[in-house]
Amino acid sequence: MSKVYLLGAGPGDPGLLTLRAKDILSRADVVVYDYLANKAFLDFARPDAEIYYVGKKGGDHTLPQDRINELLVAMAKSGKTVARLKGGDPYVFGRGGEEAEELVAAGCPFEVVPGVTSAVAAPAYAGIPITHRSFCSSVSFITGHEDPTKAESSLNWKAFATSGSTLVFFMGVKNLPHITENLMAAGMPGDTPAALVRWGTTCRHKSLVATLATMPEEAARHGFAPPSLFVVGGVVSLRDTLSWYEKRPLLGQGVVVTRSREQASDLVRLLADQGACCHEFPALEIAPLADPAPVHAAIDRLFNYDWVIFTSANGVKCFFAAIDAKGLDARAFAGIRLAAIGPATAEALAARGLTADFLPERFVAEAVVEGLLALGVAGAKVLIPRAREAREVLPEKLAEAGAEVTVLPVYDTRPVDRDPAEIVAAMEAGEIRYVTFISSSPVTNFFARISPEVLKAAKVKTACIGPITAKTLGEYGFTPDVVAAAYTVPALAEAVIADAVAAAGGATP
């Protein structure tokens, strides 16, 4: 049955989207989203969902409100489930009430899913509790931009100025002089603490504290622009004491993650948790084999092998997909010893109920060879399920030591055909601080799309997971600015964070 869901996307942090909203997004036939709704939410939508952007930015309306209403009604009447994704809460200065009225008038079923309003969340991320026993026991949410067709303002400035409430103005940056003048004219002291919070809860979050009288001048001097909230009241004085989000060392710094989308989530999460604005630009993608028959045949002969060496979590995933397809499970490895090239690979095995018999101290092929030779792999039959294209060090060295090695491609990697214009524009605008590389292949494919000169001109830092990747970077004229101490994704994230802290003088901002 068709229905329109008016979803509150929250203030921007994807972690503040409700479980209910995420569930509806994952099932909707159509997603209609606003400027203030973080595009990351679209990752929750079905791959085949119809996506419509209807955002409004600084008076530039992609679609006027009446056309948005018509779109929602038309989609609902065509029998589709519609997720109308709105920034913040649909009913808090979001015009959700107007859209609901139109749906009722057209006879279209609808449901409202409230969201976390920026009026609460953005000040909280800035270290400002909007109520506090020592300062106030009430709060007022006020539009800083009333309907221009109204004959006169409905705002009672005298009541606001004398209420003792925390005042939170939406969309008030353009009208700051008007707002501050009216409040002071109505009796509010000019030295009342005030704050602006821009892009609250997102990686672009920043705040500014001044007084009611000085805020218009300070806002202009610091270049504050929409979307910003204006907060007025004694609670603002707690900002320096309670600030927490703005202490994240990567806040506001753009980081390009070149890892495949299948693998990027862990690195993105680690960096985003420290405030980074992550730009996913996968240089490679994982692709299934055109012919899986050789993998199935190898599984049928698995009992012939003494060792199976997994060189990546992807290898584990793809090999077990074939095992599952044959109706088998971990018991197929009975009597076989297992090696993993690194902790992520070992964790992928553990998720399948298997413990690696060997995990090297250094997570590169050379260390695997050294360790296995010490365990007496010479003369053993070894199977290596891996990507079709990979470094040959491991099988070659094992074969030289007397092992009987079978290299089994279980997946392909291929370059991602993606337009680099957005990433290049961000670099040229100074929005990118780091580009991260997890292996040599992404380096090669990244520079096949983006000239090394672009990075050099923008003074972008490069970060890589280890010396082999660093050597590949050197072929393009770069000495990496950041190299992970251990060859793991967490270590790479830690190295980037440490570099950001050092660049800030050894302290978080």
Side-chain angles (χ1 to χ4, degrees), residues 423-432 458:
I423 295 294
V424 170
M427 288 183 182
E428 293 175 343
E431 297 172 359
I432 304 294

mmCIF file of all heavy atoms in Angstrom, residues 423-432 458:
data_model
loop_
_atom_site.group_PDB
_atom_site.id
_atom_site.type_symbol
_atom_site.label_atom_id
_atom_site.label_comp_id
_atom_site.label_asym_id
_atom_site.label_seq_id
_atom_site.Cartn_x
_atom_site.Cartn_y
_atom_site.Cartn_z
ATOM 1 N N ILE A 423 36.138 15.435 -6.224
ATOM 2 C CA ILE A 423 37.315 15.347 -5.367
ATOM 3 C C ILE A 423 38.333 16.412 -5.752
ATOM 4 O O ILE A 423 38.931 17.075 -4.885
ATOM 5 C CB ILE A 423 37.946 13.950 -5.444
ATOM 6 C CG1 ILE A 423 36.999 12.892 -4.872
ATOM 7 C CG2 ILE A 423 39.284 13.912 -4.707
ATOM 8 C CD1 ILE A 423 36.733 13.011 -3.396
ATOM 9 N N VAL A 424 38.558 16.593 -7.038
ATOM 10 C CA VAL A 424 39.513 17.598 -7.506
ATOM 11 C C VAL A 424 39.067 18.988 -7.059
ATOM 12 O O VAL A 424 39.886 19.793 -6.572
ATOM 13 C CB VAL A 424 39.660 17.539 -9.039
ATOM 14 C CG1 VAL A 424 40.459 18.735 -9.546
ATOM 15 C CG2 VAL A 424 40.335 16.241 -9.458
ATOM 16 N N ALA A 425 37.773 19.283 -7.198
ATOM 17 C CA ALA A 425 37.254 20.592 -6.784
ATOM 18 C C ALA A 425 37.455 20.805 -5.288
ATOM 19 O O ALA A 425 37.814 21.907 -4.847
ATOM 20 C CB ALA A 425 35.773 20.708 -7.147
ATOM 21 N N ALA A 426 37.238 19.755 -4.502
ATOM 22 C CA ALA A 426 37.425 19.863 -3.044
ATOM 23 C C ALA A 426 38.891 20.113 -2.710
ATOM 24 O O ALA A 426 39.212 20.893 -1.803
ATOM 25 C CB ALA A 426 36.924 18.593 -2.358
ATOM 26 N N MET A 427 39.788 19.474 -3.442
ATOM 27 C CA MET A 427 41.222 19.698 -3.214
ATOM 28 C C MET A 427 41.594 21.136 -3.552
ATOM 29 O O MET A 427 42.291 21.814 -2.782
ATOM 30 C CB MET A 427 42.050 18.733 -4.060
ATOM 31 C CG MET A 427 42.007 17.300 -3.592
ATOM 32 S SD MET A 427 43.077 16.253 -4.608
ATOM 33 C CE MET A 427 42.774 14.647 -3.858
ATOM 34 N N GLU A 428 41.137 21.597 -4.698
ATOM 35 C CA GLU A 428 41.470 22.953 -5.139
ATOM 36 C C GLU A 428 40.872 24.008 -4.225
ATOM 37 O O GLU A 428 41.408 25.122 -4.112
ATOM 38 C CB GLU A 428 41.009 23.154 -6.579
ATOM 39 C CG GLU A 428 41.802 22.295 -7.573
ATOM 40 C CD GLU A 428 41.279 22.392 -8.991
ATOM 41 O OE1 GLU A 428 40.124 22.857 -9.167
ATOM 42 O OE2 GLU A 428 42.018 22.002 -9.926
ATOM 43 N N ALA A 429 39.776 23.669 -3.546
ATOM 44 C CA ALA A 429 39.144 24.601 -2.608
ATOM 45 C C ALA A 429 39.771 24.524 -1.217
ATOM 46 O O ALA A 429 39.346 25.240 -0.303
ATOM 47 C CB ALA A 429 37.645 24.316 -2.514
ATOM 48 N N GLY A 430 40.773 23.660 -1.049
ATOM 49 C CA GLY A 430 41.438 23.531 0.244
ATOM 50 C C GLY A 430 40.654 22.722 1.259
ATOM 51 O O GLY A 430 40.914 22.808 2.459
ATOM 52 N N GLU A 431 39.705 21.904 0.785
ATOM 53 C CA GLU A 431 38.848 21.138 1.696
ATOM 54 C C GLU A 431 39.394 19.751 2.008
ATOM 55 O O GLU A 431 38.839 19.045 2.846
ATOM 56 C CB GLU A 431 37.442 21.016 1.096
ATOM 57 C CG GLU A 431 36.734 22.360 0.927
ATOM 58 C CD GLU A 431 35.432 22.239 0.166
ATOM 59 O OE1 GLU A 431 35.092 21.105 -0.244
ATOM 60 O OE2 GLU A 431 34.759 23.263 -0.033
ATOM 61 N N ILE A 432 40.459 19.336 1.325
ATOM 62 C CA ILE A 432 41.048 18.017 1.549
ATOM 63 C C ILE A 432 42.412 18.174 2.208
ATOM 64 O O ILE A 432 43.265 18.908 1.724
ATOM 65 C CB ILE A 432 41.220 17.236 0.231
ATOM 66 C CG1 ILE A 432 39.885 17.108 -0.505
ATOM 67 C CG2 ILE A 432 41.839 15.869 0.489
ATOM 68 C CD1 ILE A 432 38.855 16.284 0.205
ATOM 69 N N ALA A 458 47.646 21.574 -4.256
ATOM 70 C CA ALA A 458 46.727 21.787 -3.135
ATOM 71 C C ALA A 458 47.380 21.506 -1.785
ATOM 72 O O ALA A 458 46.750 21.684 -0.743
ATOM 73 C CB ALA A 458 45.493 20.899 -3.300
#
